[in-house]
Amino acid sequence: MKTQRGDPREAWAENSTVMVSDPERSPPELRESHLRARSASLPGIFLFTEPAEKGGCRNVMGLVTRADEAAKSSDDAVGASPLRLGFDCEKSSTPAASTPLYHHHHLPLLPLTPFIRHNGPLGLQGLQLHSTRAFQTTALVREEAQTETKSQPFHKNPDPELVSSPRLERKLLRQGISPIGSRRRRAALQSSANIPFEQLPYQCFQEARKVLIADREEKLKEMTAMAEKIARLQAIPTEEAGGEQVRKSKLRAMELHLEHLKVLADVNDPLVKKRFEDGQGDMNKPIYRYLADRKWREYRRKILVQRITQMKVIPDVLPHCDPVADTKLYFGRNAVQPGEFVNSQLSMVAPKLDVQLFERGEKLVTIAVVDPDIPNVEKDGFDYKMHYLAVNIPISATSTKVDLTKLSTESQVVLPWVPPVAQKGSPYHRLSVFIMEQKESKPLDFAAVKARETDRDNLLLRTLQARYHLKAISAHLFRTQWDETMADVMKQIGYPDVDMELRRKRPEALPYKRRNPSTFR
């Protein structure tokens, strides 16, 4: 312990011994205090004086957690706060009995914290000076003990915000609960303090948040001004606005700019990013639709465009497709990646789709599943076949699930699902799924469409696109080929020529490469 020369604490340091409140090593008086501390209610630190061997007195410190014990010893006891305790640094000429130093209230009080060693054999290791709870009763301790007894281990009841083991993650997924955030983040939260995001004790972080808050206030002012402009434009007559078409174009541009300002107001907010990464974002808000669109375009959209172009779905089925919506395809519980092979037994039932829009409002779409690889032996080529066709299907940013087996046959399904098949010896078949937006999201005449589109063979999707003014906004792709269950599937659906095998015709040799027997004579 280091003290300055002339410091009154130096005298105390030379004749003092700091002891942990151990009932076996402490003096009898301190031992009684230790026993009294077991049933204490408030934390505190007591200092006692006892006779030294060479005269004077030495100070002994014990841990006592009941302030009223000190109050019984002295009428002028110092308050119960453990940080306001003091000690007598002067040597006494006559040995004094072991009494608390609260009797020396007329002497100057010096802080006790500088004399507590945090390491070493005589230090108070693990001593907690700051109490986390100011009051505690025996009944509350008993209740906590019962709660701890009833609580289940972590491996039996894992927390989705803290689980980091793959085995426990699979256990949660079987229960229908998805882990929150990334595994690295959940592992870090296990050993970190649960401090609210706004109260993180980092000065640079808090200063950065002030800058973001000021920027958000500016964007809110711009949003208010733009909303007032839109209201004024809507209030003026059509003639003053320059006509109905000019008015609509101006309103459309202003509304798009207002949506952009809403995104800029929250795009840098850490709490917004955290909610989005945890899967808790509200897709009704523009900021979460923007973040979802950006994340989709970083990887998933690139994979989709690569597959439909490399496998020649574009331009074999449609001449052009610019995906603006994320489409996921499921057969049962199995998610199918773009271009993946699907077992023929799984494709007996129509798939489920998850179409995520990134724009506000509801749209009516047409969903078509086309196979452009039907072998035609007579013309030595391939034909088209429409495996599924449905119209007037509503989707939105919040309503994304589409089960093709549950659509209405009276107002939506034009051509029901037919399982895809591939004959033995034929190349794989590309089953293309297209999401087509209907013009101005207006419903089509279902009766007229169903009466006209009756033949699924050689029904071209580009013909439907031109006939009903459709626009492709998303696509997906899966493949099928001959496998061990394909013959059973063909028999179940009544497909003819189940036992027929297609073989490639051997090309004839060129005339100059033909063998001439006369030349061998």
Side-chain angles (χ1 to χ4, degrees), residues 159-163 169 172 177-187 189 274-275 277-280:
D159 189 352
E161 295 184 356
L162 301 177
V163 61
E169 290 178 3
L172 283 177
I177 304 174
S178 299
I180 299 176
S182 62
R183 183 181 297 171
R184 177 181 297 180
R185 176 185 165 219
R186 283 182 260 116
L189 286 177
K274 177 181 178 296
R275 294 192 197 100
E277 292 177 358
D278 293 347
Q280 300 174 353

Side-chain angles (χ1 to χ4, degrees), residues 76-87:
D76 299 327
V78 184
S81 174
L83 299 181
R84 299 295 300 169
L85 295 177
F87 57 88

Side-chain angles (χ1 to χ4, degrees), residues 10-143:
E10 185 176 1
W12 181 86
E14 293 177 355
N15 297 277
S16 63
T17 304
V18 181
M19 299 180 63
V20 181
S21 55
D22 185 359
E24 301 297 332
R25 300 175 55 186
S26 305
E29 294 82 6
L30 185 58
R31 198 172 305 167
E32 295 178 3
S33 300
H34 178 85
L35 296 177
R36 290 196 303 268
R38 297 175 65 87
S39 61
S41 61
L42 287 176
I45 299 178
F46 273 32
L47 290 177
F48 294 89
T49 59
E50 67 177 15
E53 297 179 357
K54 298 182 180 181
C57 64
R58 66 173 181 172
N59 299 304
V60 180
M61 183 180 68
L63 178 63
V64 180
T65 58
R66 192 178 181 107
D68 56 349
E69 297 294 338
K72 294 178 182 178
S73 305
S74 173
D75 297 335
D76 299 327
V78 184
S81 174
L83 299 181
R84 299 295 300 169
L85 295 177
F87 57 88
D88 186 4
C89 61
E90 298 181 359
K91 294 182 180 180
S92 175
S93 58
T94 58
S98 296
T99 57
L101 289 186
Y102 294 107
H103 285 276
H104 304 279
H105 59 276
H106 60 281
L107 297 176
L109 295 179
L110 297 179
L112 181 64
T113 307
F115 299 97
I116 297 179
R117 298 182 181 180
H118 298 284
N119 48 21
L122 298 178
L124 293 180
Q125 300 179 359
L127 180 61
Q128 184 176 357
L129 293 179
H130 298 278
S131 175
T132 58
R133 184 168 56 201
F135 184 74
Q136 175 181 342
T137 60
T138 308
L140 185 58
V141 174
R142 190 180 301 111
E143 291 175 2

